[in-house]
Amino acid sequence: MATTLVISDLHLGGRGGTDVLRKPEVRATLLAALRGVDRLVLLGDVLELRHGPIGEALRASEHFFREIGETMAGREVVLVAGNHDHQLIVPWLERRARAHVPRRLGLEQWVAPARASWAAAQMAAWLGDASTTVAYPGLWLRDDVYATHGHLLDLFSTIPTFERIGAAITTRVVGGEVPEEATLDDFLARLEPVYAWVDAIARHATSGGAARGTGSSARAYELLAGSGPRPLRARLMGAVFPLIVAALSRAGLGPLSADLTGPELRRAMLRAMGEVVRRLGIEAEHVIFGHSHRAGPLPDDELDEWTASTGTRLHNSGCWVYEQLFVAGAAGESPYWPGAAIRVVDDAPPALERLLADLSAEDLAA
């Protein structure tokens, strides 16, 4: 029996203190879940590299990688780069680009950590006796199960995030929308310039500087979609925001939606990921992705929403960050509650697990 455990969006080393795996008791829960696991897939945004220099995030995450390495000794660990830790694969992508005619990128490239980046090599060193490799932009877990971080969906999302708007601008510069039958290079041509700009800001950030800026999306959500009495500025923002979004759409940077309710965030994410599956021609019965931090499908979710137009079933690996704005309600009830993992065993469908559902907000908050 071969078992793979997939987790994503750990955001280790972030300055906001929301990465729950910095807590030894939380790491112990994950380590216990790894008993009997043959392969651990860290499916992107493992490090938070947008809050400051890369060395800062690495130093803060050393204990995590050493403990994972001890637990997974003799077994496999796969690192996948996301958008917040895109720097893990940038040196390899840059070397590839030096070729006169770079080889076309497929759905699965295997790269030795030392060739991926010095940061990936350092992570592999801390992982010790685990067999560590880098896969980009994803990997086939079985012939019918494909896993990728999911940040490519930002090109099709209707949620007006910074990356969605930035990608829309670069799309106009590089010559139009992603083709119906696209390659990974078509996506990267529109997304990598946004990542490079953000990464450069983080590289030169003073203490706390970048961290303040990265919370803007969460603060906007609090103002626009929060429940209960809201101050005047929130009501004004709620009135003006739809006008701003409509103007961006008219400018050709959409289509975008001003609806930031939980159901619409979920639907927008699933529609966009389904479009990635279709345009990249991912012929899989199941696709596992992260990025949105919204685990699923959950028992009360409509399964039709989690099925792409191609018939592929979508699965989201959630996150390991505690964002108070997104975890309202009783412990473990929010779809954004940290501690999600997806277990893939033999021929069974991928199964979502909530490893931290029994922990309280007090246990997880910074």
Side-chain angles (χ1 to χ4, degrees), residues 16-83:
T18 60
D19 51 326
V20 298
L21 285 165
R22 68 173 58 207
K23 296 174 176 286
E25 60 273 21
V26 175
R27 294 200 299 272
T29 299
L30 174 59
L31 297 176
L34 291 175
R35 296 192 190 103
V37 168
D38 302 289
R39 174 173 53 181
L40 171 64
V41 177
L42 301 175
L43 196 64
D45 285 4
V46 180
L47 296 178
E48 179 51 79
L49 301 183
R50 293 186 170 183
H51 288 186
I54 190 169
E56 178 182 313
L58 280 171
R59 286 191 297 273
S61 59
E62 179 177 352
H63 289 300
F64 169 82
F65 290 110
R66 288 191 182 280
E67 290 175 15
I68 291 291
E70 292 173 3
T71 302
M72 293 296 294
R75 292 175 282 166
E76 187 178 1
V77 176
V78 181
L79 304 174
V80 179
N83 52 322

Side-chain angles (χ1 to χ4, degrees), residues 180-216:
E180 284 290 312
E181 296 183 3
T183 67
L184 178 59
D185 288 290
D186 293 321
F187 282 84
L188 292 181
R190 292 155 176 82
L191 289 170
E192 274 207 293
V194 181
Y195 302 158
W197 186 74
V198 176
D199 290 344
I201 292 175
R203 189 161 55 247
H204 298 283
T206 57
S207 178
R212 287 193 295 271
T214 54
S216 57

Side-chain angles (χ1 to χ4, degrees), residues 1-5 36-38 141-142 145 342-351 353:
M1 179 183 295
T3 301
T4 295
L5 194 73
V37 168
D38 302 289
L141 303 180
R142 288 191 324 228
V145 181
I342 294 180
R343 192 176 296 264
V344 181
V345 181
D346 288 344
D347 295 330
E353 300 179 0

Side-chain angles (χ1 to χ4, degrees), residues 23 146 164 282:
K23 296 174 176 286
Y146 180 72
R164 172 66 180 92
I282 302 175

Side-chain angles (χ1 to χ4, degrees), residues 4 30 36 78 87 91 96 102 107 154 159 197 235 259 290 303 335:
T4 295
L30 174 59
V78 181
Q87 295 180 60
R96 167 187 170 269
L107 295 175
D154 285 332
I159 305 302
W197 186 74
R235 294 197 295 272
D259 185 351
L303 290 182

Side-chain angles (χ1 to χ4, degrees), residues 217-236:
S217 297
R219 288 195 297 272
Y221 181 87
E222 180 181 29
L223 285 173
L224 297 166
S227 59
R230 295 186 294 169
L232 176 60
R233 69 186 181 115
R235 294 197 295 272
L236 290 174

